[in-house]
Amino acid sequence: MSGALDSAPAVEGNERLLVGAGLLLLVVAPFILGPFQTGLLAEVLIFGIFATAFNLLYGYTGLLSFGHGMFFAVAGYTMAKTVQTVGPMLGFGELFGGASVLATWLFGLVLAILVTVLVAMAIGYLAVQLEEIYFAMITLSFTMAIYAIANQDIIGTLLEFLGMGNGTFTNGSDGLTFTLGEVDLFGFTFTLVDIADPFAYYFFTIAIFAVTMYLLYRIVKSPFGTVCKAIRENPERASALGINITRHSWVTFVLSGGFSGLAGGLLIPLFTNVTPRYAYWAFSAEPVLMTVIGGPYSFFGPLVGAFSYRYLRWFISRFEMLEAYWQFSFGLLLLLVVLFVANGVIGAPKQVRSWLDSRGE
Amino acid sequence: MGSDHMKHSDGAGKTSSGRVNRRSFLAAAGTGTAVALAGCSGGGGDTVRIGGIYLISGLAQALGTSSENAARAAVDDINENGGINGNDVEITIRDHGSQPAQTIRSLVQEDNSDLLIGITSSGVGLATAPTIESLGVPFIATDIGTPYITEFDTEAYGDYYESDDGKAALKPNIFRSTANTSHMTYGIAKFIADNYGAMRVANMGPDYAYGEQCWEYFKAYSEGLGVDHEYVASEFPSLGASDMTPQINSVLSNDPDLVFTSFWAGDSTTFMSQAAEQGLFDEVEDVFDTIGADPTVFSALGDTTPEGIHLSGWYWPTAYDNEYNQAFLDKYESMYADENVPSIPGFTGGQTWGAVQTYKQVIESVGSLNSDDIISELEGFTFEEDPRGPVTYDADSHQAQAPVTLGTTSFDVDVPYDGAGLADIQKYTITRDESLELLDGSGLGPGM
């Protein structure tokens, strides 16, 4: 049974079929799942974007960032500021009428990507000068710096010093809470983010998810992605081939940051609030864990990891005994995955198959 | 406030019209699933389900656990006495987890909770308020201090959800059974005004919104009371800090007469033991704390608790001489005497027990589990049997008008652990109008 499955074209065909079936399932899912599961699925898909974007740097280029939470946080704050301040300031209400909530949200997403790209350019320029553990440490330092800036509301204090505002900008540890309400689009009305039942937001999410994953896929399959892998495998040799490693890593860092920003801008409205905790180092561990669980050497690994990670957590919450010690149960289950599945969850079917084959011999 | 209500009911109306396709689809395709699910849940359609969310892991574990214990004691008590309208009560209590909003949704949408209680952090309370509003289920906050969540005057203080400096965050279905920071700091400011007058005052508190708010409100109330303190230092060690000595020494070097603090749970223990080591309690006249008085803190400190300082609290078990408090204490002791926790309730005990018992009376009064009916009955409802004495939920702010206690630490108090307790307890109450007058010009809302 192994021969046919191992041949390359069949796998390619299978992959395409799987992606098609997956997308179809995603479209049908909210009609079958309840409101709670629909929200959870939207969240998992956005974390999938986040982890895949992170993996551009980790799995493909060999740079372990321990500070990707900063992009998520910066994007989240940008979205919150757009909804609370920028949108009203630009008169979105009068300009777009019933569609103003939708317009504000789209504008917020674009701004979130732009701002994170700028942040990633600045931080990335410094970070890619280093490698390995030093790279992980410098990204961690930057995310903690952003955490402190948000938590101490340093921007607010500075603005007040300059005579603007009254000392609040990020609102310290409480962060910013906001909702995206009614949209009236040519007579069709819906709540953009209905927290109890995010049905509408789910469809916006899967549309953006599909486009983003396609873009990321094209990036890793392009010559650009191949250069990334070359850097991962052997920086010296890649350099000898004429590749400017620092520059290429920098561009990858910015791309990874920008897509992470998109994930942050997309997820924060669903959570209805952004706090400094997204820039705290512990949150930056989430895409790392998801990727390691799912498998960093496969394009869909981080996405599978995001699914496994969140649904495992959900599964634990359904059992009172496991939930009472959820950190312990979660850690134990993750440990099992890491110990027994060499290439992440995505590699598990293959591993089981080869194990079965070896027993058959 | 009015528009808030409107928006809420408006949203609910639109939801159904916008989802017609989906709902009808569900009705057709999901019937089988629904039948199967009904079978799973045991068919107890009349059971009253309460969902609770507390920090029962990590830093504030002792605090969340004491609330959980009080809630479970109340449920047990209700079930022993015929349930609610003859129906059994079930309670599910979950940890905040990393995404509290989702935990709350799960409590309602997966566990089918009819009523909610909980939250062990003001920040989480404010962040999850839109989620709670969206779910529409009655919610009584038992453990949070921020005045914002019960402030309704968005015109005077700004809408919390629409600007970075808004201070009015009330939602239609959120109530609070515990006194808030505005009330607590008033008690301390009043005590100091009556007993000390203008002094050199220093502040220490945890480095997050709660610590900052306590200090702001304390200063505003002191000014409102006409006491012209000199504020000599203000230090905020990080939440859960293991070493506070740099901040303690910095405060001491400014030679204050009084030290105002807003530590709680583990931070209270850390502060008191390290301040004692640095000799702080010998060098200043008095030390105050907002919500540090808790059996877990006193039993952890043992005989090192500084005597004669003034601690305030939402609830102190021996502060109320009434049959309802006694019934609560008896029930609590009978349930937890053999457990590895103090067998008297902590500083969130009274209001958590009270919240659950309030739900019972309100539901029996409206005769159904309809959320909107329960919410409108709760507005202005007086719960006569609260351990802290009769408690009224204000119709506008949804804040329970319960007294706060301020007592002196003493080893002469009869407590079921080795350590100090609170003696010479005074109670402070304040109305919204009085608060408005005192806070005038500070930009801070009464939240009551």
Side-chain angles (χ1 to χ4, degrees):
Chain A
M1 65 173 272
S2 64
L5 281 163
D6 281 343
S7 65
V11 173
E12 280 281 311
N14 269 352
E15 210 167 65
R16 197 162 292 177
L17 203 69
L18 270 174
V19 168
L23 274 177
L24 191 71
L25 269 178
L26 288 181
V27 174
V28 182
F31 294 99
I32 300 160
L33 303 171
F36 179 82
Q37 287 295 336
T38 303
L40 185 60
L41 186 55
E43 184 199 318
V44 168
L45 293 175
I46 300 169
F47 267 117
I49 298 176
F50 187 28
T52 310
F54 159 83
N55 201 38
L56 213 51
L57 213 48
Y58 175 54
Y60 284 94
T61 319
L63 290 169
L64 170 59
S65 160
F66 227 89
H68 259 48
M70 64 184 155
F71 304 124
F72 199 94
V74 165
Y77 278 106
T78 307
M79 177 57 91
K81 289 312 257 188
T82 308
V83 175
Q84 290 191 338
T85 317
V86 181
M89 216 163 66
L90 296 177
F92 271 40
E94 296 87 67
L95 223 60
F96 296 98
S100 70
V101 169
L102 195 62
T104 307
W105 174 70
L106 283 170
F107 186 61
L109 271 185
V110 173
L111 274 188
I113 297 168
L114 283 178
V115 174
T116 33
V117 161
L118 287 176
V119 168
M121 282 171 78
I123 291 174
Y125 184 78
L126 300 169
V128 297
Q129 313 295 331
L130 303 171
E131 290 173 327
E132 295 167 1
I133 189 71
Y134 307 102
F135 178 82
M137 285 301 116
I138 195 172
T139 47
L140 190 143
S141 313
F142 274 115
T143 199
M144 287 308 286
I146 288 176
Y147 168 79
I149 289 170
N151 201 43
Q152 310 289 337
D153 210 340
I154 289 171
I155 299 174
T157 314
L158 276 176
L159 287 174
E160 192 184 25
F161 183 71
L162 297 170
M164 286 178 279
N166 52 1
T168 50
F169 186 81
T170 54
N171 196 29
S173 64
D174 281 350
L176 302 169
T177 304
F178 64 97
T179 48
L180 289 167
E182 294 291 298
V183 177
D184 182 350
L185 207 61
F186 313 114
F188 181 68
T189 57
F190 61 92
T191 306
L192 182 57
V193 182
D194 183 344
I195 310 162
D197 187 0
F199 189 72
Y201 200 70
Y202 175 84
F203 283 99
F204 285 101
T205 302
I206 53 169
I208 292 176
F209 170 80
V211 172
T212 309
M213 290 302 280
Y214 178 71
L215 288 176
L216 283 164
Y217 187 78
R218 289 303 297 260
I219 289 172
V220 303
K221 295 290 171 190
S222 70
F224 181 90
T226 313
V227 173
C228 286
K229 279 194 251 184
I231 294 174
R232 179 190 77 197
E233 289 303 321
N234 194 330
E236 286 80 13
R237 198 171 280 184
S239 185
L241 285 170
I243 296 164
N244 184 338
I245 295 177
T246 317
R247 201 184 132 83
H248 195 90
S249 302
W250 185 41
V251 176
T252 314
F253 190 94
V254 173
L255 278 172
S256 176
F259 281 106
S260 302
L262 171 67
L266 199 55
L267 193 52
I268 289 301
L270 192 64
F271 285 172
T272 73
N273 86 307
V274 56
T275 66
R277 114 178 158 84
Y278 297 110
Y280 197 68
W281 65 268
F283 185 74
S284 290
E286 298 213 356
V288 181
L289 279 171
M290 287 170 183
T291 305
V292 171
I293 294 165
Y297 301 122
S298 150
F299 177 75
F300 288 106
L303 177 64
V304 171
F307 267 86
S308 318
Y309 182 88
R310 284 300 293 133
Y311 281 103
L312 194 60
R313 179 68 191 88
W314 170 78
F315 175 81
I316 288 168
S317 79
R318 301 315 303 150
F319 296 91
E320 213 165 315
M321 262 322 285
L322 291 178
E323 176 67 10
Y325 306 97
W326 71 267
Q327 279 126 330
F328 176 76
S329 345
F330 198 37
L332 196 71
L333 288 169
L334 287 186
L335 197 66
L336 290 178
V337 171
V338 175
L339 278 181
F340 294 106
V341 194
N343 284 315
V345 175
I346 201 160
K350 206 171 174 186
Q351 199 173 332
V352 171
R353 206 155 53 223
S354 64
W355 180 70
L356 284 175
D357 283 354
S358 71
R359 276 175 63 94
E361 276 158 18
Chain B
M1 183 57 221
S3 70
D4 230 29
H5 273 301
M6 296 265 293
K7 227 185 262 167
H8 182 60
S9 51
D10 211 34
K14 290 258 168 65
T15 307
S16 48
S17 74
R19 303 277 138 67
V20 169
N21 286 339
R22 171 173 188 203
R23 288 276 145 81
S24 49
F25 180 87
L26 274 177
T31 318
T33 326
V35 171
L37 281 175
C40 292
S41 70
D46 291 318
T47 305
V48 178
R49 289 193 172 83
I50 301 178
I53 171 169
Y54 289 105
L55 263 182
I56 43 184
S57 67
L59 182 73
Q61 193 237 352
L63 165 56
T65 305
S66 109
S67 309
E68 175 181 1
N69 291 348
R72 291 196 189 280
V75 168
D76 213 48
D77 177 70
I78 291 171
N79 284 335
E80 276 172 8
N81 293 295
I84 297 179
N85 274 335
N87 298 315
D88 270 354
V89 182
E90 269 177 23
I91 187 161
T92 307
I93 292 182
R94 306 250 298 264
D95 185 37
H96 279 191
S98 50
Q99 286 167 30
Q102 208 155 49
T103 307
I104 293 171
R105 285 185 59 206
S106 169
L107 280 169
V108 175
Q109 299 184 317
E110 294 191 299
D111 300 334
N112 300 315
S113 301
D114 305 299
L115 314 152
L116 293 172
I117 56 165
I119 302 201
T120 315
S121 143
S122 288
V124 171
L126 290 165
T128 54
T131 303
I132 295 169
E133 179 191 25
S134 174
L135 292 165
V137 176
F139 182 95
I140 300 182
T142 59
D143 287 20
I144 63 175
T146 179
Y148 301 174
I149 201 80
T150 46
E151 181 52 61
F152 55 85
D153 194 346
T154 49
E155 261 179 45
Y157 307 108
D159 188 325
Y160 180 81
Y161 309 102
E162 285 178 9
S163 64
D164 54 26
D165 59 352
K167 293 183 175 68
L170 181 74
K171 290 292 187 186
N173 56 331
I174 298 183
F175 294 79
R176 170 159 50 193
S177 64
T178 192
N180 69 46
T181 298
S182 164
H183 193 167
M184 309 294 298
T185 51
Y186 163 74
I188 295 175
K190 180 87 171 98
F191 180 93
I192 294 175
D194 292 346
N195 294 278
Y196 290 107
M199 296 293 249
R200 291 170 61 82
V201 184
N203 167 65
M204 277 188 77
D207 188 18
Y208 75 112
Y210 178 73
E212 290 152 22
Q213 276 177 15
C214 283
W215 184 227
E216 291 304 313
Y217 271 90
F218 171 77
K219 288 190 290 185
Y221 275 119
S222 295
E223 197 186 324
L225 289 163
V227 188
D228 197 16
H229 292 307
E230 189 186 337
Y231 301 113
V232 296
S234 177
E235 291 288 344
F236 295 100
S238 63
L239 189 65
S242 55
D243 182 13
M244 297 188 184
T245 44
Q247 289 90 354
I248 292 167
N249 286 324
S250 160
V251 161
L252 275 176
S253 67
N254 286 292
D255 193 25
D257 303 318
L258 306 176
V259 179
F260 172 90
T261 72
S262 51
F263 295 117
W264 51 272
D267 278 350
S268 276
T269 316
T270 308
F271 167 72
M272 284 198 252
S273 63
Q274 293 181 1
E277 279 169 28
Q278 302 301 314
L280 181 136
F281 299 106
D282 302 324
E283 290 191 31
V284 302
E285 284 196 42
D286 208 340
V287 176
F288 294 84
D289 190 83
T290 51
I291 47 173
D294 187 79
T296 57
V297 172
F298 291 136
S299 64
L301 286 168
D303 60 6
T304 65
T305 307
E307 253 192 305
I309 63 167
H310 287 91
L311 303 186
S312 173
W314 287 324
Y315 168 85
W316 176 257
T318 60
Y320 315 90
D321 188 19
N322 66 58
E323 57 176 307
Y324 306 115
N325 189 44
Q326 198 52 51
F328 171 40
L329 296 181
D330 292 345
K331 179 72 199 170
Y332 198 93
E333 198 190 346
S334 75
M335 271 180 84
Y336 303 109
D338 302 329
E339 308 258 332
N340 191 21
V341 291
S343 60
I344 54 169
F347 73 106
T348 56
Q351 63 271 30
T352 307
W353 165 280
V356 175
Q357 299 279 8
T358 301
Y359 274 140
K360 171 189 155 76
Q361 284 200 352
V362 167
I363 293 164
E364 290 187 336
S365 152
V366 300
S368 81
L369 282 171
N370 182 296
S371 292
D372 293 339
D373 293 346
I374 295 171
I375 290 162
S376 60
E377 180 71 12
L378 261 171
E379 293 181 332
F381 184 82
T382 300
F383 179 53
E384 301 282 351
E385 300 174 11
D386 197 281
R388 301 161 296 169
V391 162
T392 302
Y393 288 84
D394 186 81
D396 295 319
S397 71
H398 294 183
Q399 170 66 52
Q401 310 279 9
V404 301
T405 55
L406 183 66
T408 315
T409 50
S410 161
F411 288 103
D412 300 330
V413 185
D414 182 25
V415 286
Y417 53 81
D418 289 329
L422 280 192
D424 302 329
I425 293 163
Q426 305 187 32
K427 294 182 189 125
Y428 289 91
T429 48
I430 182 171
T431 64
R432 180 175 179 87
D433 285 341
E434 289 165 342
S435 174
L436 275 172
E437 208 180 309
L438 292 173
L439 292 174
D440 189 36
S442 69
L444 298 170
M448 59 181 80

